[in-house]
Amino acid sequence: MERGHSRRTMLGLLGSGSTLALSGCLAGSSSGSDIRISGGVGPLPMMQVWADEYESDTGVGIDVSGGGTGVGVSDVLNEQVDIAMMGREPDDDEIEQGLFAVAMLIDTVVGTINVDNPVYSDLRENGLTRDELEGVFTREITNWGELVESDVDEPIYVYGRSDSSAAYKQWGDFLGGEDDAYTENELEDFADGNFDGDQQIAQAINNDSLGMSMNNINYVYDFNTGNLEMNIRPVPLDLSESGTLESGEDFYDTRDEFLTAVEEGIYPAPPAREMFIAANEEFEDEAAEFAAWVLTEGQQYVPDNGYAPLSDDRLAEEQGRLEERHDGLELEVSS
């Protein structure tokens, strides 16, 4: 089967900074596939890699489209697709409707600014605390000069998401803390402008030296090389709130360094987050075999494609849940 977009095309879109939206960019591709998948933009690049590898190994055709986590959940509950990609945990209402989800990997959201920002050097050297980021995204801090000791007097333009974004929800959880998280609607109201998709946000920051937003890391680092690309740069977190970025907090130069910090739990969760695949009650037929492959052989592709793997214990837990839900499904766990 020839898919609407190959892995190479997908990676090219990410690496080139194209203005095309990944969200939904595969929608409408061939409908005669054995497995249909839709959902979150965050896990979309990884799922496309998995689909290509699985199709190469087994000949099973997989059609992958974006649209966001909410779209994927709606599609799978309405039996329009076999699998939903989710950038967040299912909520109680979705579980009551029959959604069954298993964690598959860890993705991360970072604050983003332009490399030509007038205070970029200060921010790169000192980072920002969670409180400072909360102040920017809730408009208590509106000038770049308020964040550093300088005479810079330039406004901060904040860009948010207008679609149903699991990444944006995770960012709201991080900014407000566990008991006082900001909703997507609240953040959307605070923002100067909102965009429908991660790629559009990245493009806005790439073009605006005074902008700040947040992105999944695969929109910050080059998908192929793992190096920083275009004009987008991550905002380092001053985790110790010491006013300067200490050596153990400085892991932003490459994606590999960053993912190691995520895997070791140095970079906090949220904004790091587990991502899920989900089915309506249970995965059926080829979808169940593919889900089992994702949680076993498919895991070997995770670190090289911009995501952090689940811990061994967490992965074993999710493998067990998948087997328990599906009688007769055997997971071949590689050593």
Side-chain angles (χ1 to χ4, degrees):
M1 184 200 73
E2 182 179 355
R3 252 185 304 281
H5 285 258
S6 68
R7 178 191 178 193
R8 178 171 297 179
T9 305
M10 179 67 68
L11 299 184
L13 286 172
L14 286 165
S16 67
S18 164
T19 56
L20 288 176
L22 282 173
S23 174
C25 69
L26 299 177
S29 56
S30 64
S31 58
S33 300
D34 301 295
I35 303 172
R36 301 160 299 168
I37 302 173
S38 71
V41 176
L44 179 60
M46 185 68 249
M47 187 58 72
Q48 190 63 52
V49 171
W50 275 333
D52 284 354
E53 295 292 345
Y54 192 74
E55 180 179 341
S56 178
D57 288 348
T58 65
V60 173
I62 302 177
D63 185 44
V64 183
S65 63
T69 292
V71 170
V73 170
S74 176
D75 284 350
V76 80
L77 290 177
N78 291 318
E79 299 184 349
Q80 294 177 333
V81 299
D82 304 293
I83 297 174
M85 298 177 287
M86 301 183 68
R88 57 168 172 76
E89 292 184 58
D91 60 34
D92 292 341
D93 182 60
E94 291 165 343
I95 293 173
E96 288 178 4
Q97 294 180 62
L99 195 72
F100 171 68
V102 290
M104 56 180 175
L105 52 79
I106 299 172
D107 192 23
T108 307
V109 178
V110 291
T112 47
I113 57 174
N114 188 293
V115 70
D116 294 324
N117 185 288
V119 299
Y120 173 73
S121 296
D122 292 282
L123 297 183
R124 181 65 187 84
E125 181 176 351
N126 300 318
L128 292 179
T129 65
R130 187 204 59 79
D131 284 346
E132 288 171 326
L133 284 167
E134 180 184 11
V136 171
F137 279 84
T138 59
R139 312 322 309 269
E140 291 181 3
I141 299 173
T142 59
N143 193 292
W144 289 104
E146 298 177 62
L147 290 172
V148 298
E149 295 181 3
S150 78
D151 296 328
V152 170
D153 181 17
E154 295 285 358
I156 301 173
Y157 298 113
V158 175
Y159 301 119
R161 294 282 293 269
S162 54
D163 55 330
S164 178
S165 165
Y168 207 30
K169 179 182 182 305
Q170 202 75 356
W171 193 242
D173 291 349
F174 165 66
L175 293 178
E178 183 176 353
D179 298 324
D180 196 20
Y182 294 98
T183 67
E184 287 190 53
N185 286 339
E186 288 172 330
L187 292 180
E188 188 176 341
D189 289 341
F190 285 129
D192 292 293
N194 294 286
F195 295 87
D196 190 9
D198 227 320
Q199 186 66 26
Q200 288 90 336
I201 290 287
Q203 196 66 49
I205 295 300
N206 185 64
N207 295 335
D208 188 349
S209 63
L210 300 179
M212 180 183 285
S213 190
M214 43 64 65
N215 282 99
N216 289 296
I217 65 163
N218 276 322
Y219 295 81
V220 178
Y221 297 92
D222 182 275
F223 201 85
N224 294 299
T225 67
N227 295 322
L228 292 166
E229 63 170 351
M230 302 195 298
N231 296 328
I232 304 171
R233 294 295 181 271
V235 179
L237 286 180
D238 177 10
L239 297 168
S240 64
E241 302 186 357
S242 64
T244 187
L245 207 63
E246 299 172 357
S247 59
E249 300 171 326
D250 190 0
F251 42 74
Y252 296 89
D253 286 341
T254 70
R255 188 180 62 193
D256 285 349
E257 287 182 67
F258 184 83
L259 288 177
T260 298
V262 173
E263 191 172 352
E264 294 177 349
I266 299 173
Y267 191 80
R273 55 179 174 150
E274 290 186 347
M275 292 185 160
F276 297 77
I277 49 175
N280 187 354
E281 299 291 351
E282 65 179 29
F283 298 98
E284 296 185 355
D285 304 325
E286 290 96 343
E289 296 293 335
F290 177 67
W293 182 88
V294 164
L295 294 191
T296 53
E297 292 184 54
Q299 290 294 304
Q300 66 185 292
Y301 303 105
V302 170
D304 291 336
N305 286 283
Y307 302 87
L310 301 174
S311 68
D312 290 344
D313 288 345
R314 180 67 175 134
L315 182 60
E317 177 184 356
E318 294 305 276
Q319 291 168 341
R321 291 181 60 242
L322 185 64
E323 282 188 310
E324 183 178 350
R325 178 63 70 103
H326 300 80
D327 290 338
L329 182 66
E330 296 183 0
L331 275 66
E332 297 181 3
V333 181
S334 57
S335 58

